[in-house]
Amino acid sequence: MIYASLIQEFDESQEDYRIDVLYKIHQSSKDVQLHYQPFIVQLLTENKIEHMSRLENALDLAFVEVGNSVSKKELLTKMLAFQLEHVSIVLNKARLLAALMHINADEGLSILTNWISSISDTADQIEAAQHFSASLTTRWHHGLSRYDIDSPDYQRVDFLAKLIPFIYEYIRPEDDIHRSGVYSPGLRDAAQENRAWLTSLVADTPGKESYSALITFSELVRGSLNQDYLLNMAKN
């Protein structure tokens, strides 16, 4: 019954289908999630899913306890390639790319840069980059990777040395929002907080490679307080 319901839920031609089995599995115990995980990954590999909340729940379930399993990562890479080939909604594409970054960062960056450069409107480019940056971590805690992967691939210093300058290009520190008091964070808040968090990952990793990366980042904000901050991080 549940397997049949999942198949129906992945059939987006049935617009009135409202059982939401994915959501119910998503809210279940980890044992239940792991039981249905292989079938959900298979469905994701064969059926495009554009419904935003369903895709989000499906990705969460697909990435439960991946750890450092090579076989799981290979299956997930195949699944993400299929979904990225068919996706049309900006937020969904950003989520898929953020997921790919966890297991194959270099491939993810290649697709990301090509995608952003293909967008003709500058404001739309910025929004897409913000969605990507915000999708790298949990919705509630910037600083915790979105998916349970041992050593997410995008957190390598050599990779961050390439990713962060790209993010700086579209999420510029001079445009940062500075708030005080209680507020509900928006997309720009999440994007800039994740940019700062990624930079801190480099700063917290001792070594010449991290020092060189921070010096490079400081050149991107020459003449600002951010440059002094980054130079101090490099020195420390």
Side-chain angles (χ1 to χ4, degrees):
M1 175 63 180
I2 292 180
Y3 288 102
S5 296
L6 281 170
I7 291 172
Q8 285 184 283
E9 190 160 355
F10 273 78
D11 182 0
E12 294 199 323
S13 66
Q14 302 186 49
E15 296 181 1
D16 295 329
Y17 187 70
R18 294 290 184 269
I19 294 181
D20 291 332
V21 180
L22 278 170
Y23 174 77
K24 293 175 182 177
I25 297 175
H26 188 271
Q27 299 303 309
S28 299
S29 69
K30 186 166 286 189
D31 286 343
V32 172
Q33 294 174 351
L34 289 170
H35 176 77
Y36 291 105
Q37 183 187 55
F39 190 64
I40 290 170
V41 173
Q42 179 184 340
L43 288 173
L44 282 168
T45 306
E46 299 171 352
N47 305 272
K48 76 166 186 174
I49 180 167
E50 288 272 56
H51 188 287
M52 288 188 286
S53 62
R54 288 179 189 169
L55 178 62
E56 185 174 23
N57 288 333
L59 285 176
D60 283 349
L61 291 166
F63 274 80
V64 171
E65 285 194 357
V66 174
N68 200 32
S69 170
V70 174
S71 59
K72 277 190 175 183
K73 288 180 180 180
E74 289 176 348
L75 289 173
L76 291 172
T77 298
K78 180 180 178 182
M79 174 271 288
L80 291 169
F82 173 83
Q83 290 296 328
L84 283 165
E85 182 180 353
H86 295 90
V87 70
S88 61
I89 298 174
V90 169
L91 175 56
N92 285 350
K93 188 154 191 172
R95 285 173 173 164
L96 290 164
L97 283 169
L100 182 57
M101 291 283 184
H102 282 69
I103 54 178
N104 192 334
D106 292 310
E107 177 66 15
L109 183 58
S110 176
I111 298 173
L112 174 65
T113 54
N114 289 334
W115 172 44
I116 298 294
S117 64
S118 72
I119 300 173
S120 57
D121 183 76
T122 301
D124 290 341
Q125 288 182 326
I126 292 171
E127 182 180 6
Q130 289 175 354
H131 277 301
F132 164 75
S133 179
S135 297
L136 282 172
T137 59
T138 69
R139 285 168 292 177
W140 315 117
H141 194 298
H142 306 303
L144 292 178
S145 281
R146 186 73 175 84
Y147 302 107
D148 184 17
I149 305 287
D150 289 345
S151 302
D153 198 37
Y154 72 88
Q155 294 186 18
R156 294 181 281 116
V157 171
D158 66 303
F159 179 74
L160 290 172
K162 296 180 289 186
L163 176 63
I164 291 175
F166 172 84
I167 292 178
Y168 265 72
E169 183 177 352
Y170 296 99
I171 306 168
R172 303 185 304 174
E174 57 266 34
D175 297 329
D176 281 358
I177 301 172
H178 301 284
R179 304 182 188 270
S180 61
V182 178
Y183 67 94
S184 298
L187 176 61
R188 185 54 163 81
D189 299 282
Q192 69 190 45
E193 288 172 16
N194 276 354
R195 185 200 62 217
W197 170 66
L198 292 172
T199 306
S200 73
L201 292 178
V202 178
D204 291 341
T205 305
K208 183 178 180 180
E209 191 173 36
S210 297
Y211 173 83
S212 298
L214 290 166
I215 294 298
T216 298
F217 302 160
S218 72
E219 292 296 316
L220 301 175
V221 289
R222 180 182 290 276
S224 70
L225 292 176
N226 283 293
Q227 182 180 30
D228 293 337
Y229 176 68
L230 288 164
L231 288 173
N232 284 331
M233 291 175 78
K235 179 179 178 180
N236 290 334

